[in-house]
Amino acid sequence: MFCKNILRMHKKENLKNNLILLESKRETLFQDLFRFSNTELNEEYIKNKWSINKHLYHLWLAELGTEKYIKKKTFYPETIEKVNLKTKVFHIFFAKIISINFKFKAPKSLSIFPDKIDIRELNKNWSKSRNSFMLLIDEINDNLIEKGIFNHRMIGRINLKMTLEFFNFHYNNHLNSINKLIKLI
């Protein structure tokens, strides 16, 4: 029993460390972007393509929605399934596809943006939601960590570790687009 508790604590610490690394990457990007005006960051430099702020807002919305889904799902732990082998394989495959900058159409709910996005306000909101996600990791029942706690629309039911990995490769994919747009400013 003691060893199981240590292992569960270790898993949670690893999850939290992954989130801390994500947050560090986000903070570094925002510090770099603060040198630009909101006008520059809201500009669509390529016709019918997202601005830098839209990319960032989309990433934040995706994470925020994921956290809300997980919180809701944990109220009904009996409905949470195990992650199957097919999903584990597809998760790896999906990460590889994203890493070569393959584009997928974002869900409509994650593609609705305010007319103007304030980078500093978005920074505060995203920081708050990352802190909230950190608390979620602490509060989540240990028995649910390895289960398919989030249903990604393309990958399937993924566990908390896979969810954070998705956050990372999703972020990196959009970072490529953001870096291309920065060169156009």
Side-chain angles (χ1 to χ4, degrees):
M1 184 66 148
F2 178 75
C3 290
K4 280 188 177 183
N5 287 339
I6 296 294
L7 184 60
R8 286 181 181 144
M9 285 175 26
H10 182 66
K11 285 181 182 180
K12 280 191 175 186
E13 286 306 311
N14 283 341
L15 293 169
K16 288 164 59 173
N17 286 337
N18 287 342
L19 190 60
I20 289 167
L21 288 173
L22 280 169
E23 181 60 6
S24 175
K25 286 169 57 173
R26 189 198 68 77
E27 287 174 342
T28 300
L29 175 61
F30 272 75
Q31 288 304 314
D32 183 45
L33 292 176
F34 286 153
R35 65 189 160 119
F36 301 111
S37 69
N38 277 318
T39 302
E40 291 170 311
L41 296 172
N42 283 307
E43 181 71 31
E44 289 182 2
Y45 291 97
I46 301 170
K47 188 174 179 163
N48 297 322
K49 297 289 182 183
W50 288 353
S51 67
I52 291 171
N53 275 354
K54 284 183 179 178
H55 280 280
L56 296 170
Y57 196 87
H58 163 80
L59 287 166
W60 171 64
L61 279 181
E63 289 186 20
L64 189 65
T66 300
E67 180 185 0
K68 286 179 182 178
Y69 179 94
I70 291 170
K71 283 181 176 180
K72 181 178 178 182
K73 197 72 177 162
T74 57
F75 283 120
Y76 309 98
E78 68 281 357
T79 65
I80 301 174
E81 304 167 9
K82 290 183 177 181
V83 177
N84 62 43
L85 180 61
K86 179 182 166 188
T87 299
K88 290 177 182 178
V89 170
F90 196 68
H91 174 72
I92 294 166
F93 177 70
F94 192 77
K96 294 290 182 202
I97 289 173
I98 292 264
S99 72
I100 60 170
N101 217 17
F102 191 84
K103 303 288 184 202
F104 292 95
K105 188 163 177 69
K108 190 166 182 82
S109 62
L110 301 178
S111 304
I112 300 170
F113 308 106
D115 291 334
K116 298 293 176 197
I117 300 166
D118 182 276
I119 187 79
R120 295 188 187 284
E121 183 75 20
L122 180 56
N123 182 50
K124 280 189 260 179
N125 290 337
W126 204 345
S127 179
K128 284 180 193 174
S129 62
R130 285 274 172 90
N131 287 330
S132 179
F133 206 95
M134 187 69 76
L135 291 173
L136 174 67
I137 292 170
D138 278 334
E139 294 167 356
I140 202 156
N141 185 308
D142 292 341
N143 297 328
L144 299 179
I145 290 175
E146 294 296 322
K147 290 196 174 181
I149 200 156
F150 177 64
N151 191 15
H152 186 277
R153 72 183 185 111
M154 297 186 80
I155 302 170
R157 293 204 170 275
I158 58 179
N159 62 32
L160 210 46
K161 179 178 182 269
M162 295 163 84
T163 299
L164 291 173
E165 289 170 353
F166 170 74
F167 285 177
N168 190 48
F169 59 73
H170 186 221
Y171 176 88
N172 289 339
N173 185 40
H174 283 276
L175 184 60
N176 288 333
S177 299
I178 289 167
N179 284 332
K180 288 175 186 171
L181 291 170
I182 287 171
K183 292 176 183 174
L184 299 175
I185 297 178

